[in-house]
Amino acid sequence: MRKVINKLTLIYYGFYVLAIGLAAIGYAYLSGKPPLVDEHGSAGIALSSAYIVLLVASIPLALKLFSMKVKKLAAREDLDEDAKAARYLPLAAWRLVAIGADLLVGIALFYLLGSRSMIYCAAIAAVALVFCKPSEMKADNELRTMNN
């Protein structure tokens, strides 16, 4: 289980490193300049609306699908702990990718549109990602207690 958690932790912190890097690049190249896309124009409204819909749909969906799949995995009696851990890895990784991608898109749209609402949406994704931080205790609890 420790190897699985180490891989998930690498993905988890990787998204934060990418977010910081994207924010630094955006700040360095786009700060103080007019936004590339007018946030009040049709393209800006479409981009921000699509991102908000993506954010509102993807975070709960990622969390719910992960929960459902892990419940099924925990209920399987034919698998030992190592096999369950191996199957847990892609499920948890996809949850991190879904929410981490929301964070990166939000930061990119903040610099692209110059809209404060995009940075707030990115912050929502960052908080959701914090709740997905992998730990051995959390994984053990999910794989053991969800089958009750």
Side-chain angles (χ1 to χ4, degrees):
M1 180 60 84
R2 186 78 232 148
K3 288 182 182 181
V4 169
I5 298 303
N6 287 341
K7 289 177 185 177
L8 291 173
T9 302
L10 184 66
I11 294 168
Y12 174 79
Y13 285 114
F15 274 109
Y16 282 113
V17 169
L18 287 173
I20 291 168
L22 185 60
I25 290 169
Y27 182 78
Y29 291 106
L30 299 174
S31 182
K33 296 179 183 172
L36 298 174
V37 178
D38 180 26
E39 77 174 296
H40 300 294
S42 60
I45 292 171
L47 282 172
S48 62
S49 298
Y51 174 62
I52 291 170
V53 168
L54 171 74
L55 184 73
V56 167
S58 66
I59 291 175
L61 187 64
L63 296 174
K64 182 63 178 173
L65 286 175
F66 173 78
S67 175
M68 289 171 32
K69 294 288 188 179
V70 170
K71 280 181 184 178
K72 287 181 184 177
L73 179 61
R76 292 196 53 184
E77 300 283 332
D78 60 325
L79 297 175
D80 64 348
E81 281 190 38
D82 291 334
K84 285 183 180 182
R87 293 185 183 201
Y88 179 83
L89 174 64
L91 296 175
W94 277 111
R95 177 182 62 171
L96 291 172
V97 168
I99 297 173
D102 288 341
L103 172 63
L104 297 177
V105 170
I107 293 170
L109 286 177
F110 169 70
Y111 285 108
L112 189 68
L113 299 172
S115 171
R116 279 191 175 163
S117 63
M118 294 298 102
I119 201 66
Y120 293 135
C121 290
I124 291 169
V127 169
L129 194 58
V130 166
F131 287 114
C132 298
K133 183 178 181 186
S135 73
E136 201 163 347
M137 185 172 60
K138 187 183 213 180
D140 285 340
N141 287 340
E142 288 169 341
L143 288 174
R144 287 198 180 120
T145 61
M146 285 190 155
N147 61 356
N148 295 335

